Amino acid sequence: MPTNKNALTRYKYLDEMLSDRHHFYDIHDLTEKCNEKLIDAGFPVVSQRCIEKDINYLESDPFYATIERYRINDRRCIRYEDPSFTIFRKELSEEENNLISEILNTIGQFDGLAHFEWLDRFKIGLDLKKRPRIISFSNNPYLQNSNLLGILFDNISNQVVINLKYHTFADKEIKEIIFHPYLLKQYNNRWFLIGAENEDNKILNFALDRIDNVVPIPGHKYRQCKEDLSERFDNIIGVTLYENRKIERIFFWVSEYSKDYVETKPIHESQRKYKGKNEDEFRRKYPHLNAGAYFSIDCIPNYELIRELCSFGKDLLVIEPRSIQDDVYNRIKSMLANYSLVRT
């Protein structure tokens, strides 16, 4: 039995791909993907013949893997007959068992959603004891299309390209796009799918309640995201990102009533409170703003930013820059005009 580290590493990667039911791998795919992972791990690449021998070896002593060969679109694909089969098995320690139990309870907010039935099967399979939930996340049980969460989670985790059908609030006509899904992001009790358009690789986001249908395309080559998408959202509030806009420093005053709330629950992670000489300078510049406190945030302006700033009403005033102040002012002015209509 070969025991060199390179061979064991290949067996590990092949074991993962042969049990994969979300992609169709022929011998060329298995060789290509195995070599990609070998390069990442610092090992030399191997030939297709080597991978063929590895697969034949997995079918013999001591593994006895049952491997099936089947045809998809004139391609001779290869996989384990039983998707749950693996040549690597390890019993969980009690500590690992407890940790997994807590994690499953934490993500238990997805219980009952399509494609998350594996959570219940996983709990049963591990014989985990039912525990009371000690962390509770905000969850909207009436979210439209919440059943898509499980489907999209499944496609993202298994790197499957999808055909996405959607419509907008302004246009009810259903459109479709070939899409590489990367991330599910929650904001303001709504879920958004973040990913790349197939044609020009542009990063887009779609609210789940605007998605009409999702069809996996397992035969389409998945293009991995080359950036950390979480960093892309560091400089904005919400999910709307305008790539042609720059980060702006926004200064605002918060009333005495709300200053502690804003200080302990920042509007954005870049939030800064001004004290000492800096605060004195603001006091001299805006003497009519009594008490309260002065803050700033650094972010790219978007719809969600203006809505957040307006949500504090009279307890928050944007003082710089004028462009953001105008956006807030015009939104409030429009609200006042609408209220005037219903109060006449």
Side-chain angles (χ1 to χ4, degrees), residues 246-257:
K246 296 181 179 180
I247 297 173
E248 293 194 47
R249 178 158 292 177
I250 301 155
F251 298 93
F252 54 93
W253 169 87
V254 180
S255 71
E256 190 71 18
Y257 176 78

Side-chain angles (χ1 to χ4, degrees), residues 130-144:
K130 188 173 179 62
R131 293 167 174 253
R133 196 173 295 174
I134 60 175
I135 298 178
S136 178
F137 291 103
S138 176
N139 187 29
N140 181 4
Y142 307 107
L143 177 68
Q144 188 176 344

Side-chain angles (χ1 to χ4, degrees), residues 1 13 19 60 70 84 96 114 122 159 170 205 221 272 336:
M1 171 182 175
Y13 297 146
S19 61
S60 60
Y70 61 102
S84 65
E96 290 170 330
F122 195 39
Q159 300 186 340
N205 73 71
K221 187 175 179 62
R272 172 187 174 192
L336 180 61

Side-chain angles (χ1 to χ4, degrees), residues 171-322:
D171 186 358
K172 301 300 181 183
E173 181 183 353
I174 296 178
K175 304 173 184 179
E176 61 181 279
I177 184 176
I178 304 300
F179 199 63
H180 299 253
Y182 296 144
L183 176 71
L184 286 166
K185 181 176 176 63
Q186 187 185 40
Y187 173 71
N188 198 28
N189 271 340
R190 293 179 77 200
W191 282 94
F192 296 84
L193 171 65
I194 316 295
E197 189 176 9
N198 187 62
E199 295 299 324
D200 58 11
N201 205 30
K202 183 179 179 181
I203 297 295
L204 302 173
N205 73 71
F206 295 90
L208 257 64
D209 55 5
R210 302 294 92 195
I211 296 177
D212 296 282
N213 195 20
V214 173
V215 179
I217 315 175
H220 203 296
K221 187 175 179 62
Y222 184 86
R223 186 173 58 237
Q224 293 191 16
C225 187
K226 295 181 179 180
E227 63 175 301
D228 184 348
L229 278 180
S230 60
E231 292 183 2
R232 176 175 279 253
F233 295 98
D234 285 347
N235 297 322
I236 65 171
I237 293 173
V239 296
T240 306
L241 177 66
Y242 299 101
E243 298 190 19
N244 59 340
R245 295 185 183 180
K246 296 181 179 180
I247 297 173
E248 293 194 47
R249 178 158 292 177
I250 301 155
F251 298 93
F252 54 93
W253 169 87
V254 180
S255 71
E256 190 71 18
Y257 176 78
S258 295
K259 69 175 185 180
D260 291 337
Y261 177 84
V262 171
E263 184 173 7
T264 55
K265 188 180 181 296
I267 293 175
H268 186 259
E269 62 182 27
S270 65
Q271 182 172 296
R272 172 187 174 192
K273 182 181 180 182
Y274 289 85
K275 300 178 181 179
K277 292 182 179 180
N278 290 324
E279 182 184 7
D280 293 340
E281 186 177 341
F282 280 120
R283 299 286 179 199
R284 286 193 296 270
K285 193 172 182 180
Y286 304 100
H288 56 288
L289 296 177
N290 299 318
Y294 290 87
F295 300 86
S296 73
I297 55 175
D298 299 324
C299 58
I300 298 173
N302 62 4
Y303 171 81
E304 292 95 323
L305 166 68
I306 303 305
R307 184 177 62 185
E308 183 70 19
L309 295 172
C310 289
S311 68
F312 291 90
K314 65 182 178 59
D315 290 309
L316 186 151
L317 295 177
V318 175
I319 52 180
E320 295 178 32
R322 185 60 181 264

Side-chain angles (χ1 to χ4, degrees), residues 104-155:
L104 290 177
N105 277 337
T106 299
I107 62 175
Q109 60 181 310
F110 299 120
D111 284 350
L113 295 183
H115 283 244
F116 275 95
E117 301 90 345
W118 58 268
L119 274 178
D120 291 327
R121 293 198 302 268
F122 195 39
K123 292 175 185 177
I124 294 171
L126 292 176
D127 194 26
L128 299 176
K129 296 179 180 178
K130 188 173 179 62
R131 293 167 174 253
R133 196 173 295 174
I134 60 175
I135 298 178
S136 178
F137 291 103
S138 176
N139 187 29
N140 181 4
Y142 307 107
L143 177 68
Q144 188 176 344
N145 287 351
S146 61
N147 61 301
L148 291 177
L149 276 173
I151 297 170
L152 293 170
F153 176 92
D154 192 50
N155 288 313

